[in-house]
Amino acid sequence: MIEEDSETQRQRRLIAAQRVVIKVGTSIINRAEGGVCAERIEPLVRSIAELKRAGRQVVLVSSGAVGLGAARLGLHPSRLHDVVVRQACAAVGQSLLMHSYEQLFREHDVRIAQVLLTEDDFVDWQRYTNLRRTMEKLLKLDVLPIINENDTVSTAELEYASGQERVFGDNDRLAALVMSRLESDALVLLTNVDGLLRHNPRRMERGVSDDEQPVLIPLVTDLTDELKALATGPSAGGRGGMLTKLEAAQIATQAGGVAVIANGMKPGILDDIFAGKQIGTTFMSTSRMAGKRRWLTYAAGVRGRVIVNEGAREAIISGKASLLSSGVVRGEEQFEPQDVVSIADCEGREFARGIINCASAEATALIEGMSAAPATKQHSRVLVTRDNLVLSEQR
C-alpha cells in the first residue's frame, strides 16, 4: 500500500514539472512491417505540443532510426548484427525519422531541432558543459530538441558487447544523462509495457497460468536489488530492456527528479502522467547527488588507474580524505591532468573514481621520489581533491 504522503508528493511533482525529458522507444515508433507508426506517434506529438503550450520545456529522446533504415533498405533483421550495417541503417533511418517528426510537429506549430550525441559529449567535462549551453539556448528559443545517439559514427549502442562498461549503450540511459545534465524535473520512458511488474509468487510455484496477470508496482522510493531482479532483457527490435530503464530511473532520481516508466501505446498517456494520475511506475528519491559527482558517477570516461595502499583507502572511505601521493603505490596507463582515474586497492578492486590533478608521468615521479626519500622529508601532494572524488558504493 502506498503511503499517502508519497502519493501526494508524486502527484504534486509531476503536475508541477516544468522541464521534462521524454524518451520514446523503438517498439512505439516503428511498425512491425516497417516505417513510422503514425497512429501511435501522432497522439504523443499532440500531447507534447500541449505540454509546451502549457509553458513546460520538453526534450524528446527518440529511438527508431536503425529500424526505419533497415526497412527502407529492405534488409532482413539478421543483417543488423553487423555493426557497419547498423550504422548504414542509422544514416538512412535518421533522416526518415526526423522528416516524420517535422511533418507531425509542424501541424501543431512546434519547431524542432535534431541533436545527435556520442559518448564523447558526456565523457569530456568541457563538451558536457557545452551540451547544456546548446540545449538551454534551444529551450529558450522555444524549440523542441529531438535527441538520438549519433549511430553513424558511434558504436557504443550498436555493438553487441558484453562485460564492457559504457557511458550509454541505449537511449534510456542517454535520456537519463540528458535529464541529469539539464537538471530536469521529470524523465518519462515510454515503452510497450505498463511499467515495472511483479509476478505473484504462487504463480511461479505452480507454473504460469494464462489467467493470472503480473501486478504493476505503482511507486518506487528505494530501487533495491530485489526490484532490479524483476527486470527482463531487451525488447524485440530495441537495444534496451526493463533493466536499462531502472538504471535510467536511478540516474534521474539522483539528479533530484522523478522518473516514470509507462506504456506509450495507451491513448493520452502523457496527458495522464502530467495530470498526476496513477499511471505506470513512478520513481522518487529523497536523496540528490551534486552535478559534478553525478558526472563522475554516470558519465565520465576513465583514462587510467592508481593503486593505493590500505591506509589511503581507509582514509578515503572512512575519513572522507583527498588522495595524497604518499598513499599511492603506483599508477597504471597514461592519463593527463583533469582526466578521470579509477582508484583501486592493492588487489585491484576499484573503490572510488576521481579527477586527477597531474599527468601520469608526474604522478609516477612523485611516487618514486617519495619512496626514495627519507620519511621526514616526504612532502605529499594532493592528487585528487575530495570534492572531485566519488566512492564506488555511491555509483
Side-chain angles (χ1 to χ4, degrees), residues 306-330 343-346 351-352 380-381 383-384 386 389 391:
V306 292
I307 306 298
V308 305
N309 59 35
E310 185 59 29
R313 179 183 179 278
E314 183 64 22
I316 290 172
I317 292 178
S318 302
K320 298 184 178 180
S322 298
L323 175 61
L324 307 180
S325 55
S326 58
V328 178
V329 176
R330 67 180 182 276
I343 303 172
D345 61 23
C346 289
F351 65 90
S380 188
R381 175 176 172 180
L383 296 186
V384 180
R386 186 68 196 190
L389 186 150
L391 299 179

Side-chain angles (χ1 to χ4, degrees), residues 101-361:
Y101 277 131
E102 173 64 33
Q103 288 184 314
L104 292 169
F105 277 111
R106 185 186 301 165
E107 295 180 8
H108 299 277
D109 197 28
V110 173
R111 295 170 295 179
I112 67 173
Q114 176 179 254
V115 181
L116 297 177
L117 301 175
T118 68
E119 283 191 324
D120 287 341
D121 296 312
F122 294 87
V123 168
D124 182 85
W125 176 252
Q126 186 59 51
R127 291 177 66 166
Y128 192 57
T129 302
N130 291 340
L131 169 62
R132 173 158 189 167
R133 292 197 190 106
T134 301
M135 297 295 291
E136 291 283 2
K137 181 59 68 174
L138 287 171
L139 293 174
K140 187 175 181 179
L141 293 171
D142 197 30
V143 173
L144 172 70
I146 301 180
I147 297 175
N148 197 356
E149 182 174 356
N150 192 352
D151 289 335
T152 303
V153 299
S154 172
T155 62
E157 178 179 1
L158 297 175
E159 289 178 337
Y160 291 96
S162 61
Q164 183 174 356
E165 186 173 357
R166 299 287 191 181
V167 170
F168 53 83
D170 58 84
N171 275 344
D172 295 323
R173 189 175 175 90
L174 171 58
L177 291 173
V178 170
M179 182 266 190
S180 173
R181 188 67 191 109
L182 294 176
E183 297 185 340
S184 302
D185 302 307
L187 169 68
V188 177
L189 303 172
L190 296 180
T191 183
N192 59 354
V193 296
D194 290 339
L196 181 60
L197 306 174
R198 186 196 301 274
H199 292 281
N200 187 326
R202 291 178 300 174
R203 178 179 186 261
M204 305 304 294
E205 292 173 3
R206 63 176 183 265
V208 176
S209 174
D210 290 338
D211 60 352
E212 292 190 49
Q213 298 298 320
V215 178
L216 176 70
I217 301 174
L219 181 62
V220 174
T221 57
D222 183 15
L223 190 50
T224 63
D225 291 339
E226 178 191 357
L227 290 177
K228 290 180 181 179
L230 299 175
T232 58
S235 58
R239 295 296 300 128
M242 185 54 67
L243 182 58
T244 69
K245 290 171 177 59
L246 296 188
E247 292 171 348
Q250 187 170 34
I251 295 173
T253 56
Q254 288 282 13
V258 295
V260 179
I261 300 174
N263 193 333
M265 297 188 179
K266 291 187 174 181
I269 187 71
L270 289 176
D271 301 331
D272 289 343
I273 288 172
F274 291 105
K277 295 182 180 179
Q278 179 48 256
I279 300 292
T281 302
T282 301
F283 299 79
M284 297 192 308
S285 175
T286 56
S287 63
R288 185 179 186 276
M289 188 180 289
K292 182 174 283 190
R293 294 173 67 82
R294 291 201 308 273
W295 176 72
L296 280 169
T297 301
Y298 298 114
V302 176
R303 303 299 187 188
R305 185 166 76 158
V306 292
I307 306 298
V308 305
N309 59 35
E310 185 59 29
R313 179 183 179 278
E314 183 64 22
I316 290 172
I317 292 178
S318 302
K320 298 184 178 180
S322 298
L323 175 61
L324 307 180
S325 55
S326 58
V328 178
V329 176
R330 67 180 182 276
E332 296 179 348
E333 303 178 34
Q334 300 296 310
F335 49 83
E336 298 296 328
Q338 302 306 301
D339 278 351
V340 176
V341 297
S342 169
I343 303 172
D345 61 23
C346 289
E347 295 183 2
R349 294 187 295 258
E350 178 184 293
F351 65 90
R353 288 182 181 178
I355 302 172
I356 198 152
N357 293 327
C358 63
S360 51

